[in-house]
Amino acid sequence: MSTATSIRQPARITRKLRGTPASDGAGVKLTRVIGGPQLEMLDPFLLLDEFGTDRAEDYLAGFPDHPHRGFETVTYMLDGRMRHRDNHGNEGLLTSGSVQWMTAGRGLVHSEMPEQQEGRMRGFQLWVNLPAKDKMVEPRYQEFAPEQIPVATPAQGVEVKVIAGAVGEVKGPIAQPATEPTYLDIVLQPQAAWETGLAEGHNAFAYAYEGGLTVGEGEDARPLEAQELAVLGGGDALTLRAGRAGARLILIAGRPTREPVARYGPFVMNTREEVMQAFVDYQEGRF
Ligand code: FE2
């Protein structure tokens, strides 16, 4: 009898793309990386927007009252201050380096407005789907200030803010058993390299936002430049190696729901009928 052994398979970039300029809310300029025509979704991820500008006119209009149902929105601020307020009485201020993991569940109406008149506003919004059994849960917030997000240093010249998931013994504060997400913000010093694991059966992507790096090993290594998204696959061992300028990137993974997606704007359900019901519930004030 042979004993099963786990053989390390190197992961590689299976697809690479750049986001497209978009506008959302009351006219906020951003780059849509997931959720646009190039990549409609990467189950369970429905959308990834990068916002990053020094021009106040690009963000001042903010995101006035709008609903969500059936999924989660994750806002990670790199720079800037954003105030959120919802129709259930929740309110908070997201400052530079903080994260808000909002489970919209059965529904809420909220606004997300910049609390600054000038200066840089930079960060990401990610939408994470919920499986059918969790789509109608009560809304829930997981919100953490920068000092509550642990930092791992798994290799020389490598610093990782662990928002969700784990790097060695360092565990991120976000809990979501439905998709078991990983959300890492990684800084690689020039030429620094890090080999990390990818959870089996999860979909994963990396998005570089400063500098450049190579992803993968040997013949499979491919470059990833700032503002490029890499869909990852083919294995469970991921090698990241920074170029001469170093690199900053987010590495995100989660277990796919593998369920049908019926999506219309801020409502993401399993069937068209459920989306219609969301419209009715919203219009009749049941959020
Ligand atoms: Fe929102």
Side-chain angles (χ1 to χ4, degrees), residues 90-286:
N90 299 298
E91 181 175 344
L93 182 65
L94 294 174
T95 57
S96 299
S98 62
V99 67
Q100 181 199 66
W101 200 290
M102 185 185 85
T103 306
R106 62 187 316 282
L108 53 73
V109 181
H110 76 160
S111 62
E112 300 154 287
M113 300 299 288
E115 193 148 291
Q116 63 190 49
Q117 304 294 316
E118 56 181 19
R120 174 173 286 191
M121 173 78 77
R122 187 164 73 138
F124 299 99
Q125 185 160 104
L126 177 74
W127 288 10
V128 189
N129 206 359
L130 287 167
K133 68 175 179 56
D134 292 326
K135 281 190 178 295
M136 296 296 276
V137 296
E138 287 302 311
R140 174 191 181 202
Y141 288 86
Q142 300 182 73
E143 204 163 298
F144 296 96
E147 61 272 16
Q148 297 171 299
I149 300 173
V151 180
T153 49
Q156 198 175 355
V158 180
E159 204 169 85
V160 185
K161 289 182 186 163
V162 187
I163 295 167
V167 173
E169 298 296 303
V170 181
K171 287 190 171 58
I174 299 297
Q176 178 45 281
T179 47
E180 290 186 292
T182 299
Y183 195 135
L184 309 177
D185 180 16
I186 303 168
V187 181
L188 301 173
Q189 294 303 317
Q191 317 278 341
W194 182 36
E195 189 191 303
T196 184
L198 292 177
E200 201 188 327
H202 286 205
N203 283 330
F205 68 88
Y207 182 77
Y209 63 93
E210 280 180 24
L213 66 152
T214 60
V215 177
E217 286 176 43
E219 287 180 359
D220 283 337
R222 282 178 71 189
L224 186 69
E225 300 299 327
Q227 276 69 55
E228 287 182 335
L229 177 130
V231 179
L232 304 169
D236 55 1
L238 178 69
T239 303
L240 307 172
R241 195 178 304 273
R244 269 182 299 205
R248 297 188 69 179
L249 64 144
I250 49 174
L251 174 61
I252 293 177
R255 189 174 50 226
T257 65
R258 301 189 196 285
E259 290 177 359
V261 174
R263 171 177 188 166
Y264 191 86
F267 309 124
V268 184
M269 305 302 290
N270 295 105
T271 67
R272 195 183 130 81
E273 289 66 32
E274 289 166 350
V275 171
M276 302 295 282
Q277 189 61 49
F279 265 105
V280 172
D281 288 349
Y282 171 53
Q283 277 164 358
E284 295 182 355
R286 285 195 287 267

